[in-house]
Amino acid sequence: FHTVRSLSPTQGDTVVLGHPTDLDRTNPLNAAGAYNRQCLTCVYDTLYRFDPDTATPMNWLATDDEVVDATTFEVTIRDDATFHDGEPVSASDVAFSYNFTKENSPVFGGTIEVAIDDAEALDETTVQFNLSSAFAPLKANIMSQIWILPEHIWADGPDEAGEDPHQWDNPVIGSGPFTFDY
């Protein structure tokens, strides 16, 4: 991620990634395979990213966090983040993403289920994660892996298309450093 993020286009504002296999999934709920994940991790933000120098979780969409008690973890997110369609990223989007992914993703649902019962937005920038039990590697094992989805697109989009969420041919709109073109 950090290698791609540090690229500078030689012409214009487009970065072209080449790989020996095709990108075959753009649905973040079903993005199995290294290349699918490599591409989508540039489009969708996570709360934390791994620091390229220390390999420890560093704030990304998150700006602050607090262990309230052994089973309650609160995260404050940036107030200046927007999705690629211009809509602001809110705590509601974060809570929605965790709950929706847990329920609908064959690839990532189990990752969340290991520790998180549910997530709820406390206000525009604060998300509370209610854990099933204390889980020390929460930021590294879960919160740096789960992509934040735009609730305004995902809440009804799969139903309106008549598709299962993990099979939906979704618009590829995230809040990450790159937009998806083709």
Side-chain angles (χ1 to χ4, degrees), residues 27 29 96 100 103-104 153-170:
N27 185 317
L29 299 179
F96 170 82
F100 192 77
E103 181 180 321
N104 294 291
I153 292 174
W154 281 88
D156 298 320
D159 289 339
E160 290 173 1
E163 297 181 29
D164 289 332
H166 70 277
Q167 296 297 330
W168 184 38
D169 186 19
N170 60 289

Side-chain angles (χ1 to χ4, degrees), residues 1 12 47 53-54 86 95 115 121 154 176:
F1 169 78
L47 291 173
D53 298 320
T54 65
W154 281 88

Side-chain angles (χ1 to χ4, degrees), residues 125-178:
T125 60
T126 310
V127 185
Q128 179 175 294
F129 292 90
N130 302 303
L131 310 181
S132 50
S133 61
F135 190 72
L138 183 65
K139 291 192 318 190
N141 289 11
I142 298 175
M143 295 183 164
S144 62
Q145 307 299 315
I146 303 302
W147 293 315
I148 306 307
L149 307 174
E151 182 178 12
H152 65 279
I153 292 174
W154 281 88
D156 298 320
D159 289 339
E160 290 173 1
E163 297 181 29
D164 289 332
H166 70 277
Q167 296 297 330
W168 184 38
D169 186 19
N170 60 289
V172 186
I173 296 173
S175 59
F178 289 88

Side-chain angles (χ1 to χ4, degrees), residues 30-179:
N30 199 17
Y35 187 54
N36 295 320
R37 284 200 46 84
Q38 180 185 24
C39 289
L40 294 180
T41 203
C42 293
V43 175
Y44 292 96
D45 273 329
T46 55
L47 291 173
Y48 302 89
R49 299 268 189 192
F50 286 103
D51 184 291
D53 298 320
T54 65
T56 58
M58 65 180 203
N59 289 349
W60 191 259
L61 188 57
T63 60
D64 197 17
D65 54 59
E66 177 186 357
V67 176
V68 177
D69 59 46
T71 60
T72 309
F73 188 73
E74 289 182 5
V75 176
T76 303
I77 64 166
R78 293 184 0 231
D79 61 4
D80 62 346
T82 58
F83 289 107
H84 300 143
D85 63 0
E87 292 292 320
V89 177
S90 70
S92 180
D93 293 300
V94 175
F96 170 82
S97 298
Y98 276 80
N99 295 327
F100 192 77
T101 301
K102 179 180 175 181
E103 181 180 321
N104 294 291
S105 176
V107 177
F108 303 107
T111 301
I112 297 170
E113 196 169 275
V114 165
I116 299 174
D117 284 338
D118 67 356
E120 59 184 296
L122 300 181
D123 57 37
E124 284 299 309
T125 60
T126 310
V127 185
Q128 179 175 294
F129 292 90
N130 302 303
L131 310 181
S132 50
S133 61
F135 190 72
L138 183 65
K139 291 192 318 190
N141 289 11
I142 298 175
M143 295 183 164
S144 62
Q145 307 299 315
I146 303 302
W147 293 315
I148 306 307
L149 307 174
E151 182 178 12
H152 65 279
I153 292 174
W154 281 88
D156 298 320
D159 289 339
E160 290 173 1
E163 297 181 29
D164 289 332
H166 70 277
Q167 296 297 330
W168 184 38
D169 186 19
N170 60 289
V172 186
I173 296 173
S175 59
F178 289 88
T179 57

